[in-house]
Structure formats: C-alpha cells, structure tokens
Amino acid sequence: MEPGNRKIRVVVADDSWTALRAVCSYLEFEGQFEIVGTARDGLGVLKQAEHFRPDFVLTDLSMPRITGLEVAAQLRESYPELRILTFTELNGLSLRAACLRAGADGLVEKSQMPERLMEEVRRIFRE
C-alpha cells in the first residue's frame, strides 16, 4: 500500500476538532501514514494540498467555506494522481455517486470508521 518504502503523506480535514484529532490519531496509529497537514475548512484543505503535495487527502464532506465535494473536484483537476477519500455522517448511494462524480476515489461513513476507512485506503492504493 505504501508508495515505495516511505509513509503515505496525508492531509486530513474536518470542521470538528474532535473528529479531526480522532482520524489523525487513528492514521498515525496505523503506522503507514505521515500527517503532513490538517484543515478545518475547505479552503484550508486546498492550501494544505498545494503546500505539502500529499499522496492522499481525507476530507469531510460538510465543511465551511468550501464543501468536501467542491474540494474533491478542485483537487482532482489540479492533482490528477492524488488519492482523495471523503467521509461523512450522512449515508446513501446517491451521496457516494456524487462524491465519485466530483473526483473523489470513495466515501466512508463516519459510523463505519475506522474499519471501513482502512478498507477504502487499501483499495484506492491498489488501483
């Protein structure tokens, strides 16, 4: 799953400080990831991605200033090779389809984390 022998460089975004810390802690615990940046809104995600050029962005869908869908679309246009996962408290196949159309590689429901998150990460780094 790792590109080469280095850790996967990640930017994580969520407007909830509690959720942001929980996701970062989980990824750090996995040992395969290096959190290079965090953001609390969509504009912050775009700035962090431009500055750090991560391998992977994990972004909440419901964020202030720019939504996760808009973030995914802009990141996909600017960085075609970037892996992007969205996550949300909402559920539904139509939401997953909207994320994929916007440019994300997948969607994870917060209620299914952390198990589903790692399944999705493995899947997108195999592709």
Side-chain angles (χ1 to χ4, degrees):
M1 183 166 73
E2 295 181 31
N5 289 328
R6 65 180 178 84
K7 291 185 177 187
I8 297 170
R9 295 167 35 88
V10 186
V11 169
V12 180
D14 197 312
D15 59 325
S16 162
W17 178 249
T18 303
L20 183 64
R21 285 305 326 141
V23 170
C24 288
S25 293
Y26 178 73
L27 290 174
E28 289 169 341
F29 176 78
E30 281 292 312
Q32 302 163 0
F33 304 94
E34 176 187 359
I35 308 300
V36 294
T38 60
R40 302 279 306 276
D41 64 47
L43 285 178
V45 178
L46 297 175
K47 289 177 184 175
Q48 294 288 313
E50 181 180 359
H51 180 73
F52 291 110
R53 301 292 171 108
D55 305 306
F56 174 41
V57 169
L58 179 60
T59 182
D60 186 18
L61 280 182
S62 302
M63 289 193 299
R65 297 169 51 171
I66 298 179
T67 69
L69 281 178
E70 294 167 311
V71 165
Q74 289 185 37
L75 289 174
R76 180 60 62 220
E77 185 175 314
S78 298
Y79 312 102
E81 298 301 315
L82 180 65
R83 302 291 203 260
I84 306 165
L85 272 182
T86 52
F87 61 100
T88 185
E89 291 179 355
L90 308 173
N91 59 30
L93 292 176
S94 62
L95 187 55
R96 179 176 304 282
C99 290
L100 295 174
R101 278 192 308 274
D105 294 299
L107 171 73
V108 177
E109 295 173 25
K110 287 183 180 179
S111 64
Q112 298 176 332
M113 291 173 79
E115 297 83 10
R116 183 77 174 134
L117 172 62
M118 290 313 300
E119 288 174 16
E120 284 294 295
V121 169
R122 286 185 197 95
R123 180 187 64 79
I124 66 172
F125 277 94
R126 268 196 312 262
E127 295 178 347

